[in-house]
Amino acid sequence: MDDKLMLMIPGPTPVPERVLQAMAKHPIGHRTGEFSEIVAAVDVDLKWLHQTQNDVLVVAASGTGAMEAGIINFFSAGDRVLVCGNGKFGDRWIKLAKAYGLNVEVMQEDWGKPLDPDAIGAILQADTGKTIKGVVFTHSETSSGVLNDLAAINRHVKDHGEALIIVDAVTSLGAISVPVDELELDVVASGSQKGYMIPPGLGFVSVSAKAWAAYDKATLPKFYFDLGTYRKNAAKNLTPFTPPINLYFALQASLQMMRQEGLESIFARHSRLQAATRAGVKALGFGLFAPDSHASPAVTAATPPEGIAAGDISKILSKRFDISIAGGQDHLKGKIIRIGHLGFISDRDVLMTIAALEATLLELGYTGFTPGSGVAAAAKAFQ
Ligand SMILES: *Cc1c(COP(=O)(O)O)cnc(C)c1O
């Protein structure tokens, strides 16, 4: 059925009607007072969302562009950085840092396991010469549904004193608290098609005073993503290049909606969605890929019951029920399903997804569960 699609993937996420309406008009000139007013309003709300007084700069790019800006502005070739990865997006940080000729020290955990803050702390403690210039990692690892312990890792980085903390918060910002000022996070990257509830195309980078000091010394080549240029323009409510004007309309509307809901309510909603999704799939016989203690608020990864192919589940959910979920990436292809519950997602969406998942399992001839048990477990988690 046309226009019935439910997007339950961890990005792009569904876009509210109000936001779609805001986008559906002619662009306006980006050197007009009218557009500058939008830039100014959005700037205030982005700082609110990041819980910071730091600059939050907007680039025309997907989340990876924001990540790239988060590297090339603060380092010079040969700088030693500790990149910690436990999934697809951690791997992306490693590739990115290597592509720019940084001296990359890699710390890796298996996909599905959280990063070990104390192991990171041990490497930092051993660096008595303070040669490590940055610690780089993913907060919510979308490929595995693992939430890394931002506060604990940050404590070790602060003990080190020299290194910048650089965080991919693409699927944590707007889902769980990322208190930039309280934790003194130096660089935080995010993208529009995740928690922001707008289509892909905008990247966001928050930059601390300490990171700006590093910027002044950094010599990696940069032009389009030179954040200093964005900062100068932002001070005048301008953008250096032609921005995706209509995405700014969307962003203004979505940030207003987020303001209305309130940060605490947004975080509580995602926490409920996470708990209900996990309870629902578990009751149906799925294995939870990430431990309860480190579960992402944005996405739940689960291994299907014995004998059921992950690909068949996604296929039937999509064909019969117009629900789109994600599969595994790289070596997890065909091994897990991933249900996104990020952004414009309500309790109802999770109940419907779990109910459709039950119907899908029945269609696949799986009898190892009591029909209704997934929905019941999800409903109970909502109480
Ligand atoms: C989606 C995502 C990104 C950015 O990917 P793009 O396709 O460039 O938008 C980065 N990190 C994480 C953890 C993500 O989920």
Side-chain angles (χ1 to χ4, degrees), residues 319-336:
K319 267 212 180 105
R320 291 270 293 108
F321 302 104
D322 296 293
I323 297 178
S324 182
I325 64 167
Q329 295 165 287
D330 294 356
H331 64 278
L332 291 178
K333 203 166 263 174
K335 301 230 167 69
I336 57 169

Side-chain angles (χ1 to χ4, degrees), residues 43 47 52-57 205-208 212 231 234:
D43 184 60
K47 286 177 174 153
T52 190
Q53 296 303 315
N54 288 347
D55 296 295
V56 182
L57 303 166
V205 195
S206 85
V207 183
S208 72
W212 283 123
R231 185 192 207 190

Side-chain angles (χ1 to χ4, degrees), residues 102-164:
L102 298 186
N103 173 10
V104 181
E105 180 154 342
V106 173
M107 210 202 87
Q108 262 174 319
E109 286 288 349
D110 289 341
W111 295 31
K113 294 233 168 63
L115 293 173
D116 178 356
D118 291 337
I120 296 170
I123 295 174
L124 290 170
Q125 256 169 32
D127 178 34
T128 49
K130 308 293 179 196
T131 57
I132 298 177
K133 300 297 176 207
V135 176
V136 185
F137 65 99
T138 312
H139 187 196
S140 163
E141 182 42 83
T142 315
S143 62
S144 65
V146 167
L147 183 75
N148 288 311
D149 191 340
L150 174 62
I153 296 170
N154 183 56
R155 240 173 276 128
H156 289 295
V157 181
K158 292 295 176 288
D159 285 346
H160 180 270
E162 169 70 23
L164 298 175

Side-chain angles (χ1 to χ4, degrees), residues 10 62-65 67 89 92 138 140 142 168 170-171 193-194:
S62 75
T64 308
M67 292 165 69
F89 293 98
R92 188 168 298 178
T138 312
S140 163
T142 315
D168 169 351
V170 176
T171 55
Q193 81 277 25
K194 307 283 172 94

Side-chain angles (χ1 to χ4, degrees), residues 235-268:
K236 297 178 280 184
N237 297 321
L238 292 172
T239 59
F241 313 109
T242 312
I245 311 264
N246 292 52
L247 283 180
Y248 269 79
F249 297 155
L251 180 63
Q252 185 182 28
S254 73
L255 286 169
Q256 275 167 7
M257 285 180 72
M258 291 172 96
R259 281 260 187 178
Q260 271 167 18
E261 188 177 359
L263 278 184
E264 288 313 315
S265 305
I266 292 171
F267 302 152

